[in-house]
Structure formats: C-alpha cells, structure tokens
Amino acid sequence: MDNDDLRRGKPTNHVIYGEDVAILAGDSLLSTSFEHVARETKGVPAEKIVDVIARLGRSVGAEGLAGGQVMDLECEARPGTTLDDLKWIHIHKTGTLLQIAVAAGAILGGATPAEVEACEKFSFNIGLAFQVADDILDCTASSEDLGKTAGKDEAVDKTTYVKLLGLEQSKQYARDLVDEAKACLAPFGERALPLLAIADYIIERGN
Amino acid sequence: MDNDDLRRGKPTNHVIYGEDVAILAGDSLLSTSFEHVARETKGVPAEKIVDVIARLGRSVGAEGLAGGQVMDLECEARPGTTLDDLKWIHIHKTGTLLQIAVAAGAILGGATPAEVEACEKFSFNIGLAFQVADDILDCTASSEDLGKTAGKDEAVDKTTYVKLLGLEQSKQYARDLVDEAKACLAPFGERALPLLAIADYIIERGN
C-alpha cells in the first residue's frame, strides 16, 4: 500500500483530499482505464480489444498487482523475507502491469503470439529491474532528486534488494535483468529501439 | 464511503483484515469484474462485449458510482442538502450501477437500442427506489433484521428521504418509482416477469 506523503515532490492525494476521496479516485481511475480501452481503441478487431481487457483485468487483480501488494504488506509485517519472496512480490506488483502495458500494444498492433510472448518476457524483466532500481535509488538519491522521502526503506528496516544482496550486487542484478530484457527484443531489430531506450532508462534514471 | 462495521450481520472486510487489505480487495474485485466480462462472455459478437465494458467502466467511474459517493461525502460534511442533491447522489451512486446491470443483459441478449433504453429507464427508477427504501428501513427495521446498524442515519443527522419528505411520503415516493419502473417494461409483456418481481422486492424487502 502506497502511503507516502510525497510523490514527485508534491503532497499525495490522500494528504490533500482525505483517505475516503483518495480511495474513490483510485476506484474511479481504475474503472475509467477499462472504459478508455473499450471506447477509444479504433481500427482494431473487437476480439483483440476483448483479449486486452481480459489480460488488463487479470494484471491488476488478485493474480497481479493487488495480490503482490497484499504479499508486500504481509512481508513488511513479519521478519525473514527472502529473495524469492521479494521477487514474487515484484513480479506480481510491477511485472504484470508492465507486461500488459507492452503486450496490449503488441496485440493491438497485430503482433503474432510468439511476438507478444517476446514482448511479455521483455517487460517482465524490466519490471523486476525497475523495482531493484527503486531500492537502489532509495538509498543513494536525495529526497529532492527522488521527489519522495529518501532513505525510507532503511528507516523502517524494509526488506529490499540492497538489504539482501548489497548495493554493488543489486546494481549488477539490475543490469543483468535489463540485458536479458533487451535480448528478448533482438528479433525485432531496429523497430525495438524505443523499448530498448526505456529499458536503459529504468536503471539510469535519477528518480 | 461505506464504513459500517457490520454488513448482513457479519463484521466488514476492513474490520477483520484492516483498511489496507480491504482497499486492495476492492481494487482486485473491480478489476476482476472487467476481466470476467471479457473472458467469460461466450457466443456474443465481440463488439457487444466491448460496448458493455465501456458502459460498465463509465458506471463505476467519476460519472457514476465514485462521483456519486464523493458528492455523498461532501453533503454529509455540510448542512442544507436538498432533495435534488439527494437524487443526484443516488442516481450516480446506485442508479448507474443498476442501469448497466440491466443494460448489459439486454445488450448481450440481443435487444434493440429502444429495448435497451427501456431497460435502462426501468433500472434507473428501481435504483432510486432502492435508496428510498434503504432510508425507510434504516428508521423502521431493527439491526437484527437489517444485518447492519439500524438508526444510524438519524444518529448522525444524515440527510435522507425520510428526513426531507417524512416517512409516509417517502413510502409513497418509493411506490411511485417502482410503478414507473414497471411501466417501462410493459412492451416486453410476460417476458419481463422476473424484473417486475425484483422491482416489487426492492420496496417490500425487510433488509
């Protein structure tokens, strides 16, 4: 559960509007995202739109983001979180959402099933890399650069990649994940350049 | 925002699992509902499924349930809520959700646009009747019958139909809405019997 008081240097929704309105804003945006895909996707066979919506729904539900977030809360509350637990959380919390973000584009763009799968493997790996990079940034960047409270993980003794692997090995792990992600897109040649740039950005970003 | 500690005689989600897990359960069920419609609707042209999902998304978002709920919170916090405010809240909070529940069945069942519209008018009216009946029950039924805390509205001086119209006039208003709802389904003849029974149940129910 994200309960930081700052995001991108600004007070968060629940701080300004209260928890009740923040929860309703979340429900509203979530529903509107499905409406948007259904209403605004043009020039694509309706079967593909239905496929994307089914995958989008799964990626947010108990087998995706919400499930990962619940496990995250469980692990925060008890000691002994392992590297496998951490990966499970991030695969579900972040990996599945990036996976559908990339797969949706591929499906609606007319990719073959094998191409969709390659895109999913790519996004799965950058999803994990994103979380490792987040943990690294939390202990190396300032609150000003980060736009949210820095050093929060260590202060609350949160289990992170940095805590389990150390800083240098975490950086190496993030690089390996990005390399693996980029390798998945090799069959696309130059057409994959924007996605390759996003993969690099994930571990090079300063916030 | 529903924050009662009891629902159908049992402790609510946030009481047992905590607010964070309750919020995530809500997000998860909401996403899964879209996934379910997309994945499990069989034997229907995909265009109709996309149409239903677009309407479903709108009915829950800022122009539907969530918007009505926010206005409900606003009105709770300030005096002078009028009958028009109350109707606006209930049209959005409950009306739109019942509207899509009925319209989805009609659309997927192959109804014409005029038939879908008749079904929507029906559900719109029973949505309002449902809320009027809720206000009546809150001040006439026991907590045991209700399965939630009775008399809560008066205790917190909530603006209700009973407060604005009085008990007898509220009962008449609920009956008028149900009659109007049932009239919308006249063109369907006997095929509408299950929906007519639901309309009657809404004002005859004891909880």
Side-chain angles (χ1 to χ4, degrees), chain A residues 127-204:
Chain A
L128 264 183
F130 184 92
Q131 289 289 349
V132 180
D134 245 19
D135 287 355
I136 294 168
L137 281 170
D138 187 80
C139 69
T140 58
S142 67
S143 291
E144 199 186 344
D145 283 344
L146 223 47
K148 62 178 180 178
T149 318
K152 206 181 155 214
D153 293 345
E154 209 186 333
V156 298
D157 195 31
K158 190 177 175 186
T159 303
T160 65
Y161 291 102
V162 176
K163 187 179 165 189
L164 291 174
L165 297 174
L167 184 59
E168 284 315 309
Q169 219 185 315
S170 295
K171 285 181 178 174
Q172 186 57 50
Y173 182 46
R175 276 192 297 269
D176 290 346
L177 285 167
V178 166
D179 287 343
E180 211 171 313
K182 290 162 82 174
C184 299
L185 300 184
F188 295 101
E190 285 204 348
R191 290 186 297 153
L193 281 177
L195 289 180
L196 297 177
I198 288 173
D200 285 330
Y201 170 73
I202 278 174
I203 48 171
E204 284 163 12

Side-chain angles (χ1 to χ4, degrees), chain A residues 32 86 98 106 124 129 155 187:
Chain A
T32 303
L86 210 56
L98 284 178
F124 177 86

Side-chain angles (χ1 to χ4, degrees), chain B residues 15-180:
Chain B
V15 171
I16 301 181
Y17 299 104
E19 288 192 3
D20 44 13
V21 172
I23 293 168
L24 289 165
D27 289 342
S28 178
L29 286 169
L30 187 52
S31 302
T32 303
S33 69
F34 291 97
E35 180 193 357
H36 184 78
V37 175
R39 208 178 285 278
E40 302 301 335
T41 312
K42 313 283 189 196
V44 174
E47 287 77 10
K48 286 189 190 289
I49 303 174
V50 171
D51 182 20
V52 164
I53 289 168
R55 290 165 182 250
L56 183 61
R58 179 160 293 178
S59 75
V60 180
E63 292 175 60
L65 189 151
Q69 193 85 56
V70 168
M71 189 60 92
D72 197 5
L73 290 168
E74 296 273 319
C75 287
E76 265 180 30
R78 61 173 169 77
T81 303
T82 66
L83 195 59
D84 279 346
D85 292 336
L86 209 57
K87 280 185 190 171
W88 195 96
I89 290 168
H90 293 149
I91 285 168
H92 289 81
K93 211 177 89 168
T94 313
T96 57
L97 207 61
L98 283 179
Q99 203 164 354
I100 177 61
V102 176
I107 292 166
L108 297 175
T112 64
E115 287 173 333
V116 172
E117 209 183 311
C119 290
E120 286 188 314
K121 278 190 190 156
F122 161 81
S123 48
F124 177 87
N125 281 304
I126 63 168
L128 264 183
F130 184 92
Q131 290 290 350
V132 181
D134 245 19
D135 288 355
I136 294 168
L137 280 170
D138 187 80
C139 69
T140 57
S142 67
S143 291
E144 198 186 345
D145 283 343
L146 223 47
K148 63 178 180 178
T149 317
K152 207 181 155 216
D153 294 344
E154 209 186 333
V156 299
D157 195 30
K158 192 177 173 185
T159 303
T160 66
Y161 291 100
V162 177
K163 189 178 164 190
L164 292 174
L165 299 174
L167 185 58
E168 284 316 308
Q169 217 185 317
S170 295
K171 283 181 179 175
Q172 186 58 49
Y173 182 46
R175 274 192 298 268
D176 290 346
L177 285 166
V178 166
D179 287 344
E180 210 172 314

